Amino acid sequence: MTQFEFLSPLSLTPGTAVATPVFPAPGPALDEPTAVLGADTIRPLSDQTLGQHAGHLLVPTYDRSALTPAVVHFSVGGFHRSHQLLYFDDVAEQRISTGWGVVGVGLHSRTMKDALAPQDHLYTVVERSPDGERARVVGVMTDYHYAPDDPAAVLDVLTDRRTRMVSLTITGGGYRLCPQSGEFDADDEDIAWDLRETDRPRTVFGFLVEALDRRRRAGLPAFTVVSCDNMHRNGDAARAAVVGFARLRDEVLARWIADRASFPSSMVDRITPHTTPEQRAAVAQRYGVDDNWPVITEPFSQWVIEDDFCNGRPPLDEVGVRFVPDVARYELMKTRLLNASHCALGYLGSLAGYASIDRVMADPLFAGYVTHLMDDEVTPLLPPPDGIDLTEYKRTLLQRFANPAIADQLSRLCRRGSTKMPHHLLPTLRQAVAEGRPHGLLTLAVAAWFRYLRGTDAGGRELRIDDPRADELQALARAGGTDPRPLLGDHAVFGDLDRFPAFVDELEQALEQLDRDGVRVTVGAALDRSGRLPS
């Protein structure tokens, strides 16, 4: 057995286990010169045109009409389409089963429905590496519903006896859990609506609980709810939210859900930037596919799920997914190494004037910073997951960050800091501070976030703060300046970090140095203090 397992769905066979990403060797990347197809060869994507596209890229060879809609996914975005749907598509493509088709549901925007419905819910995934790229059409999605248009249709799908699993990518803030107690927070207008109008829900939890109640009354089994969001114990979060909402309706229903439904935690990983209009045009020119919304992603993909399913387990283990008794260590590894590093590099790199993470990693100073952040301050606090060599895993992360074919935008990494930082970076910092362990590089990442929240980089250029709490956090950051105490007083984000005076002083000094000396000098000084200044 190799040291750790991951699958590139576009290029590996079922069960393949490798220690570094596998980069296929097809054509050059989208932004490199290459022959393009004539306009007369660019055709729309649909069931009827699949045969015409087969000469330019991989297309489904299974019978799409034979797919059984067994999975419902809430919040279909680029990541879901580059990750979970690829695994289910492999299950069908490799003739393992056609019993796990997927129905998508959107709650807040019609955009995805408008893009996918005209092309029979088909879409293109382009896997990009430094050595080239490879494209594939995914066909496992059987339908898509925009819930506000027809909530009854969504409830019908969820209540259908063929539905066995519901998956979620609703972001960490979507679970509506109190940061202090972990309990479901019902203080919300949409939650109040869902309690009154049970047949016309607005929230994912209104839909899930109403559907589970209908299944209970009809004598049907519950379904498994699989959270695929980047947060600690995401299955526990999903359980707390669903059961907590159900308890507001009916204690008996809440107990039935708690006893009959399953909420396995999972760890998911695949870097998937937002697709630009230029990339969409390039996909059309290179592959002849007029796809309304193709997906661009990297070769690496990983999915680890707790083996706890109440209504049949999909055969995902036959296409590279790992089922484990407890996902906690895998989840901590990913969120505290990859996601926390994304946060740190996003804020520091943005202040330094960079736009993409590959350019940040091309700078030896920042590459050294993130290497030592992971090695010296994060890894010592991580319990190693079974079967994974953390040294090899971190080496792979550095390769992925530096992949110029993806060029992940820092603006994406910096989004929703008020949700990401408490889940990904602050827990390690809190533990390190409390235990008296090294934490200077983690502290600098927090200082960079505080400085970023003021809305300008080190050169005075405007930075757009994309965060659900942008207005209040920016006001606190500007009011505090180099004093971190106003922001640290937001205990919903920072917990009790303001109760450690030495840490508060260190953070204040980092903010002062960022203002006085700039980003590069401050990063270099932090590495020097840690004994890790690059030569």
Side-chain angles (χ1 to χ4, degrees):
M1 182 64 67
T2 55
Q3 292 173 331
F4 72 99
E5 298 177 1
F6 50 83
L7 177 72
S8 168
L10 297 176
S11 58
L12 299 182
T13 55
T16 299
V18 292
T20 55
V22 171
F23 294 139
L30 284 177
D31 52 1
E32 298 178 10
T34 184
V36 297
L37 300 175
D40 58 335
T41 64
I42 298 176
R43 297 180 177 87
L45 182 59
S46 69
D47 280 329
Q48 290 186 340
T49 62
L50 274 182
Q52 301 170 32
H53 293 303
H56 303 296
L57 72 172
L58 300 174
V59 301
T61 61
Y62 55 88
D63 181 3
R64 294 189 73 215
S65 67
L67 289 168
T68 299
V71 182
V72 176
H73 183 83
F74 278 86
S75 192
V76 176
F79 177 73
H80 174 64
R81 294 192 295 141
S82 79
H83 189 271
Q84 296 101 60
L85 278 172
L86 262 292
Y87 288 102
F88 283 110
D89 197 67
D90 275 343
V91 169
E93 183 62 34
Q94 296 172 19
R95 306 302 191 268
I96 297 167
S97 173
T98 55
W100 294 92
V102 181
V103 176
V105 175
L107 293 173
H108 305 297
S109 171
R110 292 186 51 89
T111 307
M112 189 62 69
K113 179 181 176 63
D114 292 343
L116 294 180
Q119 51 196 49
D120 299 322
H121 307 102
L122 297 161
Y123 65 93
T124 311
V125 174
V126 180
E127 177 187 277
R128 302 185 67 184
S129 79
D131 301 320
E133 67 179 49
R134 188 173 183 176
R136 165 180 172 180
V137 174
V138 176
V140 78
M141 182 179 288
T142 63
D143 204 354
Y144 185 97
H145 298 282
Y146 178 52
D149 283 351
D150 193 353
V154 177
L155 288 170
D156 287 345
V157 172
L158 290 167
T159 309
D160 191 321
R161 67 172 60 248
R162 296 174 297 177
T163 296
R164 305 162 76 180
M165 172 179 158
V166 175
S167 53
L168 311 173
T169 49
I170 59 175
T171 76
Y175 290 83
R176 304 172 188 264
L177 301 178
C178 173
Q180 284 76 37
S181 68
E183 299 295 322
F184 185 69
D185 184 358
D187 185 17
D188 181 89
E189 179 182 343
D190 288 337
I191 295 298
W193 170 278
D194 286 358
L195 291 172
R196 295 191 312 268
E197 307 289 340
T198 57
D199 60 343
R200 293 186 295 155
R202 291 177 177 173
T203 73
V204 61
F205 306 111
F207 278 105
L208 294 182
V209 169
E210 174 62 17
L212 286 166
D213 188 32
R214 293 184 184 188
R215 294 176 77 100
R216 176 178 68 107
R217 295 176 184 276
L220 296 174
F223 42 65
T224 299
V225 178
V226 180
S227 170
C228 298
D229 286 298
N230 287 320
M231 56 191 302
H232 181 54
R233 301 297 309 176
N234 53 21
D236 292 349
R239 176 185 290 275
V242 173
V243 175
F245 178 83
R247 188 168 288 121
L248 297 174
R249 283 187 44 170
D250 180 350
E251 181 63 37
V252 174
L253 171 60
R255 287 200 301 269
W256 185 87
I257 293 173
D259 292 342
R260 304 294 182 88
S262 293
F263 299 86
S265 289
S266 75
M267 185 272 277
V268 296
D269 188 6
R270 195 172 210 193
I271 295 172
T272 308
H274 181 73
T275 305
T276 66
E278 293 78 14
Q279 288 170 333
R280 177 182 178 273
V283 169
Q285 291 175 347
R286 171 165 300 176
Y287 300 107
V289 178
D290 184 11
D291 187 334
N292 292 324
W293 202 338
V295 179
I296 312 298
T297 192
E298 63 171 339
F300 182 99
S301 186
Q302 187 177 32
W303 196 2
V304 183
I305 313 176
E306 286 179 346
D307 195 358
D308 179 20
F309 291 79
C310 65
N311 192 359
R313 190 182 81 176
L316 295 168
D317 54 323
E318 298 188 42
V319 293
V321 174
R322 176 181 286 188
F323 291 118
V324 298
D326 187 349
V327 81
R329 291 190 174 196
Y330 300 89
E331 172 257 314
L332 284 175
M333 172 191 74
K334 190 256 180 172
T335 57
R336 297 194 179 184
L337 288 173
L338 184 149
N339 296 112
S341 296
H342 266 172
C343 291
L345 291 173
Y347 297 124
L348 285 167
S350 295
L351 293 178
Y354 289 113
S356 63
I357 192 171
D358 62 306
R359 301 308 304 159
V360 177
M361 292 299 294
D363 186 325
L365 180 68
F366 292 101
Y369 165 83
V370 75
T371 298
H372 298 304
L373 173 75
M374 293 193 289
D375 287 346
D376 301 342
E377 297 188 6
V378 180
T379 301
L381 299 177
L382 281 180
D386 291 341
I388 290 185
D389 182 325
L390 287 179
T391 299
E392 186 67 20
Y393 179 79
K394 287 181 289 185
R395 186 185 68 80
T396 300
L397 285 182
L398 296 175
Q399 290 181 346
R400 296 169 64 198
F401 294 163
N403 183 355
I406 292 297
D408 205 3
Q409 296 298 293
L410 299 186
S411 58
R412 186 186 79 87
L413 306 185
C414 293
R415 287 194 314 231
R416 301 193 308 276
S418 64
T419 297
K420 292 178 179 178
M421 290 287 280
H423 286 306
H424 303 155
L425 191 143
L426 295 179
T428 304
L429 175 61
R430 169 65 172 77
Q431 183 180 352
V433 169
E435 296 179 5
R437 292 176 176 268
H439 56 270
L441 303 180
L442 289 163
T443 301
L444 179 54
V446 176
W449 183 35
F450 282 24
R451 176 62 183 80
Y452 177 92
L453 284 171
R454 293 190 223 163
T456 58
D457 69 10
R461 292 176 291 269
E462 182 180 0
L463 295 170
R464 179 175 175 270
I465 311 303
D466 186 354
D467 191 288
R469 299 185 57 195
D471 291 343
E472 54 188 308
L473 293 179
Q474 189 166 65
L476 291 171
R478 288 175 171 173
T482 59
D483 181 1
R485 291 168 184 81
L487 272 170
L488 288 176
D490 188 335
H491 294 157
V493 174
F494 297 99
D496 63 353
L497 276 170
D498 62 345
R499 299 177 189 173
F500 295 88
F503 162 72
V504 176
D505 289 343
E506 292 166 5
L507 183 57
E508 186 170 23
Q509 291 167 14
L511 282 164
E512 290 173 350
Q513 187 171 21
L514 281 172
D515 275 3
R516 182 182 66 248
D517 301 330
V519 183
R520 297 188 63 83
V521 171
T522 304
V523 172
L527 289 171
D528 190 27
R529 286 192 295 272
S530 68
R532 295 292 195 170
L533 186 65
S535 57

